[in-house]
Amino acid sequence: LEAGILQPPDTEHFCSGPATDTVEKILPVLEAAPPPEPPDPKTCSPREYLEYYIFPVLLPGLAGLLHEAEKEKCFEGRRTKFIALDFLTEWLYNKNPKREDESFTEFFSIPFVKDWLKDHPRPPIPLSLLLSEEEACIIIQSFWRGYRVRCDSEIQQLRQWQKKLKEERYINEVVKKFWAKQEAK
């Protein structure tokens, strides 16, 4: 038992097996030209259906997805605004042979996507994902500068005076009366 633990694992065991055999069988088929006559989609085997109807369309879409994910820097950070399924849906919709003559359609303009989002609205994307690093830095710095200014004793006195003035003059009631008059007109 101890001798078995100290020995390195058998690499042939990991490299051979049904998974690698399947990959070796599929790759040459993908690189080869498709058969001259397509198999009947209703009677062909699942493997033939995948190889002839699904993979020739899906694999270029997945390659485009990886390129776009690299552009969006998805591999650098943990969270991104890039939604891979949205990209793939848009890509497949626009590359559909039935839509060859039509112009490019954005994801949110696709009819079935519009219908789905009416019934299942998405939560908004967090602001932290929408802002660039420079924009986020500006917001943080402006907040910090404002905080430091508000900590100044003269500014504190001014804010307390404004608060007291607001309470003495019942400014909230004055504003409500003003808007009630405006709405009555």
Side-chain angles (χ1 to χ4, degrees), residues 69-89:
E70 190 175 8
K71 282 183 199 172
E72 296 286 335
K73 300 180 181 177
C74 292
F75 305 120
E76 295 175 13
R78 194 169 172 193
R79 296 174 51 205
T80 64
K81 65 180 177 179
F82 179 70
I83 302 172
L85 287 176
D86 291 358
F87 175 83
L88 194 57
T89 302

Side-chain angles (χ1 to χ4, degrees), residues 106-124:
E106 290 186 11
F107 178 75
F108 292 106
S109 300
I110 298 173
F112 66 85
V113 173
K114 282 182 180 179
D115 295 339
W116 175 260
L117 291 177
K118 283 179 189 173
D119 299 332
H120 307 91
R122 288 183 173 177

